[in-house]
Amino acid sequence: MAVNSVVSVNSLANQTLNVYPNPSSDVFNIDLNGIREASDVYILDPMGRVVKHEVIKTANPASLSIQVSDLNEGLYFLQVVTSEGRKVAPVVIKK
């Protein structure tokens, strides 16, 4: 007898990470539709160091805004982490 199980139909791997405006000088908006649980959002520099961290405490958040006006101009990586996995998107800060 074989048993198949589905962990999650809305796996993070199946979600698109929509970040706008990109590039930005002061704020990034992130569409979080499809994320069904509390999660962490990180902004990483090109060396992989965390330069910003936000905790999403509510289930089913629609969006999140992250202020980046205090960061230097350049390429960064926005990472959303949940128990289902992680998604990464490149973002650019222009002054």
Side-chain angles (χ1 to χ4, degrees), residues 46-91:
M47 299 300 291
R49 295 177 294 225
V50 175
V51 294
K52 269 221 192 262
H53 175 223
E54 297 281 337
V55 177
I56 303 169
K57 296 180 181 177
T58 60
N60 296 320
S63 64
L64 174 71
S65 295
I66 296 182
Q67 289 289 333
V68 294
S69 57
D70 59 325
L71 298 178
N72 292 329
E73 189 171 273
L75 173 67
Y76 293 85
F77 297 93
L78 189 136
Q79 177 176 263
V80 177
V81 179
T82 73
S83 64
E84 296 177 335
R86 69 184 69 221
K87 271 293 201 194
V88 178
V91 293

Side-chain angles (χ1 to χ4, degrees), residues 27-60:
V27 67
F28 286 114
N29 299 301
I30 310 156
D31 285 340
L32 297 171
N33 295 327
I35 294 178
R36 306 269 184 243
E37 61 186 64
S39 56
D40 292 290
V41 177
Y42 299 95
I43 295 183
L44 310 169
D45 70 10
M47 299 300 291
R49 295 177 294 225
V50 175
V51 294
K52 269 221 192 262
H53 175 223
E54 297 281 337
V55 177
I56 303 169
K57 296 180 181 177
T58 60
N60 296 320

